[in-house]
Amino acid sequence: MCSVWLKAVTANAVPDELPILARSRQGLARLLTDDLAPLRTLSMALMGDPAMALRVLQQANVVPHRHFRADVVTLEDAAHMLGTQTLLRLESEAAVDERVLNAERLAPYRRSAGRAVLAALFAYDWAEIDHDRFPSEVSLAALLNNLGELFLLAHGDARISRYLELVEGCHVLPHEAEYVSLGESLEDLGHVLAVQWGLPEMVREAMRARNARHPRALCVMLATQIARYAFSAWRHPMQMDDLHLAGIVLELELPDLAQRINRVLDHFNRTAADYGLAPLKSLPIDDTGRPAVLPAMRQVVFGLAPRQDDYAAAMTALREGEPVDRESVFAILLRGLHRGLGLNRVVFAAYRAREDALVAEYLVGTDFEPSFNRFSLSRPDGGLFAGLLDAPSAVWLNDDNQAALAPRIPVPLLELIGVTRFFVMSLWVRGRVIGLVYADRRTESCHLDARSYQSFRELVGQAVRCLEHLAE
């Protein structure tokens, strides 16, 4: 369910809107005139500029070629397919950042590009640790993971400046900053562009929060997050959770992970000036060799404002049978709950009978929380949540029932969600449970209320009736 704004801003969008970096253009031009330059060296140079990498990849995937019957998914293959002359043409025809961006947009654009490159370097290193067959594919997905942010900076949308001010200056969580300043998800924007421009599946799917349960996509998400923390001088309040998760995924002890992160940072800092940056600080390490915990940034917490028009639009769309398939139903439902009721995080967890477990399938408001996006719960260990699968029912965990119900929430789940105030409701279609919808305001300082709970139940109930209609 794309908004009017999202449809309008992407309708005529082309990769050429992203200018290439002046410094990287100079280095790339020298390489392309050297007939002896190894393909690997050339691909790494392309990786140093998200806009140039985007052009090369997109061009390779729109040109028919008898040797490539599937997507071209690495820059090595793309460069090999297009050839030096085509690469020289793409480089020479591309707009350069310092010529097309004003001073207000130039520095943030370069900074965002630099953060993308650092994420790509982390992802490549970690994919090699994991013995991935195509680490370059994972690295490329990380390079383009913040495509929505780069596009808006290049496009000249003034709201992205406000978003970056909230995230980098006021340390607002990116989800809330998106809601307040953009009104839309950068993840959704990036995904729409990736699909529209024919980018490879790995690039597209690493932008979907629900794919955090897949190791390669999770590697991309974590690399993007760790790069963000490096750019905040390692003082972000969420960073230790993601460092621990990265250690688990890579099967590395935290001291080993810290050393690898700092080696990658040393490599990145050699070219930091290309992005208008001073060298980034190393991840601080304590006496045991583990990442040190620095005083965290003061974090501003937002309770999202309900938007009655969005809620009414979602109810009308579900009631009048607009959705044509299951995915559309959940897109409308989650948008209505997130924007219409101001619920920060909303998840539909599908019940999988074969595994006897709940697994996150659709999520909103969780783009920057890889751990949360891995939401899964075995029914035998589900406690309160398992009980909702026995009959159509809903629960609002609040002050009145906290003493009785909180002990029934599995401890690992409590650690994952971090709150003990939420809404949850099971969905039954044609007499069979298909999953449950969970929603919260991320922090208990932002209160839930009876009116929101009633509206939550009504919209979920309408979605169930819509799914019943589709099933018929």
Side-chain angles (χ1 to χ4, degrees), residues 29 82 114 174-175 330 333 369 395 427 462 469:
L82 295 176
H175 318 75
F330 284 109
L333 171 63
E369 294 181 88
V395 170
L427 281 70
Q462 188 58 53
H469 176 72

Side-chain angles (χ1 to χ4, degrees), residues 243-281:
L243 286 169
H244 278 290
L245 179 56
I248 292 169
V249 171
L250 298 171
E251 298 182 355
L252 284 178
E253 297 295 329
L254 283 179
D256 297 326
L257 176 64
Q259 288 181 13
R260 295 196 75 106
I261 285 173
N262 283 336
R263 280 201 293 271
V264 171
L265 274 171
D266 287 343
H267 177 72
F268 173 80
N269 281 336
R270 296 171 200 161
T271 58
D274 293 353
Y275 311 101
L277 301 169
L280 300 176
K281 293 181 179 179

Side-chain angles (χ1 to χ4, degrees), residues 209 212-215 218 245 249 360 369-376 416:
R213 62 182 181 269
H214 301 303
L218 179 60
L245 179 56
V249 171
E369 294 181 88
S371 295
F372 190 91
N373 295 338
R374 289 165 63 81
F375 185 104
S376 65
L416 177 70

